Amino acid sequence: MENLINQLINHLSNLELDEKVEAINLVKVKLHEISPFKTEPVDCVLWVKNETVHANDYNPNSVAPPEMELLRLSISSDGYTQPIVSMLEQDLVSREVIDGFHRNRVGKECQDIQQRVHGYLPVVTINQDRTDINDRVASTIRHNRARGKHKIEAMSDIVIDLKKRNWSDDKIAKNLGMDSDEVLRLCQIGGLSELFSDKEFSQAWVADGFDDSIIIEDDNNE
């Protein structure tokens, strides 16, 4: 086994940068296919050219300039400690960001970091059965909510959009990690009374207590 590994290393060492990255990615993919953890996206972190990664248009998070600078400093000092969660598109080359929008920005917009990682970004690929737009939206929100970070108004817009796509309250609650009352309240915030005209208005929760003007997307490459 050690001899085989040494032969592989010797072969890879003689390749040019892009060829080397492509070959290493291939090795990772093949190992992932036989891994006991092959159902876990984090088992296979790949490096892909940053121009193949693009942001989604439904992330309900924002980050203020000071926090963006903190993220840049984190990646500059500690390196990328978390990959960008992505979905591979139909061309099998382009990727849409599911989680890690700001890590994606830093790798593209911060010249020193872009040069250090040779114009590449670290990505993992979300399970390929989740290709529907609603599934991708739900996945992004679950990642945000697991960290306790999301904007109330943007969340309200997304819930209303899912309602318009004929998602039931129960399905929204299950996929976004909410309870039925929270789904109703987000509809109320959105102001579309026809979406909950058969519901009793709840006074139990208001958005006034939330300071959603600044959301720290990542203080440790998260």
Side-chain angles (χ1 to χ4, degrees), residues 154-169:
M155 282 289 294
S156 174
D157 291 343
I158 287 174
V159 167
I160 289 173
D161 183 64
L162 292 176
K163 293 275 287 186
K164 289 179 177 178
R165 294 172 186 267
N166 297 318
W167 276 38
S168 67
D169 287 0

Side-chain angles (χ1 to χ4, degrees), residues 169-186:
D169 287 0
D170 288 343
K171 184 175 182 179
I172 293 173
K174 179 180 179 180
N175 281 273
L176 303 190
M178 301 176 180
D179 57 35
S180 57
D181 283 344
E182 188 172 6
V183 174
L184 172 59
R185 291 160 190 159
L186 288 169

